Each structure stands twice: as structure tokens, then as C-alpha cells.
Amino acid sequence: MSDMNNCKPEMCIKNKDNLYRLIISQLLYDGHSIIASMLAAQVNADPPCSPSDRLMSVVTKGLQHETYRQKETEQALNLNPIQQMLIGPGIDLEFETNVFCTAPEPSLYETIYVTAHKGPCIAGAFSPDGQLIATGSSDASIKILDVERMLAKSHDIGSTDNQEGQGHPVIRTLYDHLEEVTCLEFHPTKPILTSGSRDGHVKLFDYSKTSVRKALKTIIDVEPITCISFHPGGDYMVMGTNSPIIRFYDINTVQCYVCSVPSHQHTGPVTSIKYEPGARYFVSSSRDGSIKLWDGVSNKCVNTFDKAHDGSQVCSVTFSRNGKYILSSGKDSLVKLWELSTSRCLVIYTGAGTTGKQVHRTQALFNHTEEYVMFPDEATTSLCAWNARNASRQQLLSLGHKGPIRSIVHSPNSTAFLTCSDDFRARFWYKRH
């Protein structure tokens, strides 16, 4: 009951007042009277506070219990011990203050393999286990590559996929679209790759069959497809198109549903869509400059961040693993971290886009441990990276492409990422231990 009362707005205000009074009292107790007086004037502390060491006592007791709360959060994420050891719990600003990064900086990654299409490379994806990648192109083709085979080939400097043969990294090449492949996503539990295209078709390919060329199932829309995301259970999918209306599909029956409240929809084409790992929500972004949070059960919009990037188009949105935060990027070349519980922007990552205005839509993303935020600078074709928690700039990485980066995706569980570019090439990056 006390937790419910603490959620009430009037209780939140009262608790904030008590917190500031404790801070002022602690500052006075520790001899920082000038700072205490400035803060007291700023928050209108009335009546005046007396010196007290109570805040130190409360913090000490709270820290003793925090480890138990953190363990409960980790259990709620269903992380097994091996996953927990390899990738850690992810970003959680509720618990963290000073955290040292254990993962290598993105600037230390190297190109291990390059694959080429006959047109600009537009889309990329990693499989949930991190063992496969897929690339899609404006030449309407899709390639699926084996990560282990790329690593095995990496002793050949500048290795590409021009020579096919036994152990070749490209294990499938799929041709079933008529126009540009705009988005790719692997099924969370089955050997199925889903692709969206400008031809208005969504294709589901069963890549477990070596002879596969055509899709086992096709979803037809009247608009070009821009983005897709699977429900973590695998039976449903949300989809964005050049229309403002979000589509929700049962992939078994191919039945389409839309929100019953028209005013909940975007007012411009949908640019990005992503399910929260726990399936409670999904998030979408649009050219209209807004980010919308949707209930994963009722399919209704529960929150809207208007002008999330000061009116610029929002290019990408994704959840943190614990579902507490949304990471977004916009045509303003800014990356922002939003907290769902308070509906506010906590961190802004700046420094990209200083040499030219962004033209194409690209993505901001976390690395696999969520210790770094990554974003490709379009004009310089270099990778900008920041510490995810404090937004400190890391070293730039030249991505070696001769055109804008159209897609960037990071492995879910290892030090690897994929970049797709207008120069017809996709580069697989890896950091050896």
C-alpha cells in the first residue's frame, strides 16, 4: 500500500521536498553552508533546515538493500547465469552511479569480412543467437551469412565473398522481392528471416532449407514497408509503412489489426518500430517528429513524445534490455535516452553531424553490454560512440565506406556489429579478445 501511495503525484512532490531538505541538512552538517544556502533559496525550503547527518544514514541503509532489488530485476529479465556473465545486466541508471566499462570501445573493432550487393546495401540484422547476419539491398536480394565462417575467413586480409566454395560465409541468397529490401528481422525462436520491401510485401523465409529461394509466406500491403519487429513470443509482428497507421499482424493467420482509436496514430510515415523485450510495450517513431509508446496487449498508444528531436524526423527507436529506457536518434544527428517512468529525456549524446546535415535515416544503438551508444556520422562515414551512462565521447572509428551508412546493427551477445552502405557493401566488424 505504501508503494501505491508513493506513486501518487502529491506524495511524489512531498517526497521530493523531504529529499531536498535532507540534502540541505547534510550539506550544513558537512560544513558546506554556502552551497546549502543556495539550494535552500532555489527550492524555497521553509522552515529553514538545521544541520543533520540523517541523509548519510538513510543512504547507507538503502545501499545495503539495493543489491537485493538489483537481483530481482535481473531475475525478471530471465537472464541465465551465462548470459549474465557475458553481457551483464545492461544499463540501469536507477542503481548505477560510477560504473567502469568492461566491453571494448567500438573504435577498437576491425573489419573482418566484406560482402557486396549489386546495389546500395540498405538493411541488416543479427539472429537472436548472434550466429547469423542478413543483409538486404536495393537490388532486391537478401544474403544470409554465417558469423563463424566469416571469422574463419578473416585470416585472409581484405576477404570478400567474390569466391564461393566450401565453408563460404554466404549460406543463403534469397530473391523474392521486386524492389528495394528496406528492413530485415530474424524470428525470435524459429529459423525464419522476415524482410520488408518497397514493393509493399513482407516475406517470411525458412532458411533452414538449403534450397530456399522463395518465401514460405507473404504479407501484402498497399504501402512500401519501412520497419518490422517480432513479438518476443514469435506469433505476432508489428509493422510500419509509408502510411502513418501501425499494422499489427498475427503471422499464423496473416490477420491484420490496427488501433481502434484513430487519434492515437502518427501523422506521418513510420520510420522505426521495436518491441520491448518483455512484450509489455512496443515503440514507434515517425517523420512527424514524434515517438509513441504502445500497449503490447491492447495495441493502444499510452504515451507520446511530441517533437522528441525538436521537430526533426525521428529516425530510430529501440528499448534497453530492461525495458526502462528508449534510445532514439533523429535527423538532427542527436541521440537521446528517454526514461519511460517519468517520460523525460535523461541523457543527450552530442557531437555527431557537425560537418554536414544528415540526409538519410540511420540508427542509434547500444552495444551488447549497453555500456556504449553507437551512431554513424553520415557526412564523415565514421562511427560516433559515447559512454551510455554519462555521454562522454569516445574515439571515432572510420567505417571505410564510400557512401552513407544506411543500416547499423550490433550483435546481441558478442563484440561484433554490421554496417550497410550505399557503396553496395556490408562490413562485418569484430573485436578479438
Side-chain angles (χ1 to χ4, degrees):
M1 184 62 72
S2 61
D3 289 342
M4 292 175 64
N5 289 335
N6 285 337
C7 291
K8 294 180 179 179
E10 61 270 19
M11 287 304 299
C12 290
I13 294 171
K14 186 176 179 180
N15 290 340
K16 280 278 187 178
D17 289 340
N18 288 334
L19 173 63
Y20 288 131
R21 292 184 65 81
L22 285 172
I23 294 172
I24 294 165
S25 295
Q26 187 71 49
L27 288 169
L28 291 170
Y29 185 87
D30 294 338
H32 304 295
S33 57
I34 296 176
I35 300 174
S37 298
M38 292 172 62
L39 180 57
Q42 189 73 28
V43 300
N44 298 318
D46 186 35
C49 303
S50 56
S52 169
D53 197 37
R54 187 181 167 207
L55 179 61
M56 187 63 183
S57 175
V58 170
V59 169
T60 302
K61 291 177 180 177
L63 288 173
Q64 293 172 357
H65 292 280
E66 196 172 67
T67 53
Y68 300 109
R69 291 183 61 199
Q70 204 159 2
K71 286 179 180 178
E72 289 175 2
T73 303
E74 291 164 8
Q75 290 170 358
L77 293 174
N78 296 319
L79 292 175
N80 65 47
I82 295 176
Q83 288 175 315
Q84 185 62 38
M85 180 178 64
L86 290 175
I87 63 175
I91 188 170
D92 193 342
L93 301 179
E94 183 182 353
F95 295 110
E96 301 161 349
T97 49
N98 297 317
V99 177
F100 295 100
C101 294
T102 58
E105 282 189 35
S107 62
L108 300 176
Y109 288 45
E110 300 174 322
T111 297
I112 295 296
Y113 194 80
V114 180
T115 187
H117 285 269
K118 295 178 181 177
C121 194
I122 305 297
F126 267 91
S127 62
D129 61 5
Q131 294 301 302
L132 299 173
I133 64 169
T135 62
S137 169
S138 63
D139 66 9
S141 71
I142 299 167
K143 291 184 179 183
I144 301 178
L145 297 93
D146 185 286
V147 169
E148 289 297 329
R149 293 186 183 185
M150 284 190 287
L151 294 175
K153 284 263 186 182
S154 64
H155 67 275
D156 299 327
I157 297 176
S159 179
T160 67
D161 60 357
N162 292 331
Q163 299 292 324
E164 294 206 11
Q166 189 174 9
H168 188 252
V170 179
I171 61 170
R172 305 284 184 273
T173 303
L174 310 172
Y175 301 97
D176 204 15
H177 283 292
L178 301 176
E179 293 186 49
E180 175 183 294
V181 178
T182 56
C183 50
L184 295 165
E185 174 133 339
F186 283 89
H187 192 281
T189 59
K190 298 177 182 178
I192 292 174
L193 175 67
T194 303
S195 61
S197 169
R198 290 184 62 86
D199 61 16
H201 291 180
V202 173
K203 305 279 186 177
L204 284 78
F205 298 92
D206 181 355
Y207 58 82
S208 65
K209 300 174 181 176
T210 57
S211 60
V212 64
R213 289 291 183 273
K214 302 296 182 181
L216 64 90
K217 190 175 290 187
T218 300
I219 297 172
I220 301 174
D221 203 283
V222 295
E223 294 282 351
I225 314 300
T226 57
C227 48
I228 49 180
S229 180
F230 272 111
H231 183 284
D235 290 328
Y236 304 98
M237 180 175 65
V238 284
M239 186 172 82
T241 69
N242 276 352
S243 159
I245 312 299
I246 301 289
R247 278 84 155 143
F248 180 94
Y249 275 95
D250 181 325
I251 65 169
N252 297 309
T253 63
V254 199
Q255 184 72 40
C256 179
Y257 305 89
V258 297
C259 177
S260 59
V261 186
S263 61
H264 283 196
Q265 301 289 351
H266 286 287
T267 58
V270 180
T271 56
S272 179
I273 198 162
K274 203 71 180 175
Y275 258 106
E276 183 258 330
R280 296 169 298 173
Y281 305 104
F282 61 90
V283 64
S284 63
S285 63
S286 170
R287 289 189 199 170
D288 65 14
S290 71
I291 297 171
K292 286 183 177 286
L293 184 68
W294 304 79
D295 186 277
V297 177
S298 69
N299 198 26
K300 292 182 178 179
C301 180
V302 295
N303 199 0
T304 300
F305 302 90
D306 284 317
K307 295 185 178 179
H309 283 259
D310 298 323
S312 296
Q313 294 182 24
V314 185
C315 300
S316 70
V317 281
T318 188
F319 280 98
S320 61
R321 287 204 307 271
N322 58 18
K324 290 184 177 182
Y325 310 101
I326 293 172
L327 187 73
S328 70
S329 68
K331 282 281 187 78
D332 56 1
S333 295
L334 293 178
V335 181
K336 297 185 177 184
L337 186 72
W338 304 83
E339 185 178 46
L340 265 62
S341 62
T342 58
S343 301
R344 62 194 175 109
C345 178
L346 289 182
V347 186
I348 301 178
Y349 307 91
T350 61
T354 56
T355 58
K357 188 176 180 181
Q358 187 175 325
V359 177
H360 297 287
R361 170 169 69 89
T362 190
Q363 300 84 37
L365 67 159
F366 292 108
N367 74 326
H368 62 302
T369 62
E370 296 187 350
E371 292 173 318
Y372 296 104
V373 167
M374 302 160 61
F375 180 75
D377 184 282
E378 184 173 297
T380 61
T381 63
S382 59
L383 180 70
C384 297
W386 301 266
N387 181 300
R389 297 171 177 88
N390 59 31
S392 60
R393 286 286 302 276
Q394 308 298 304
Q395 287 188 337
L396 293 173
L397 172 65
S398 176
L399 293 174
H401 286 287
K402 297 179 181 178
I405 311 302
R406 300 296 295 275
S407 179
I408 178 169
V409 285
H410 200 286
S411 169
N413 51 24
S414 66
T415 53
F417 68 89
L418 175 73
T419 54
C420 303
S421 170
D422 271 357
D423 65 4
F424 296 18
R425 286 166 174 76
R427 290 177 174 266
F428 177 74
W429 299 80
Y430 188 76
K431 175 64 177 74
R432 298 187 188 278
H433 296 291

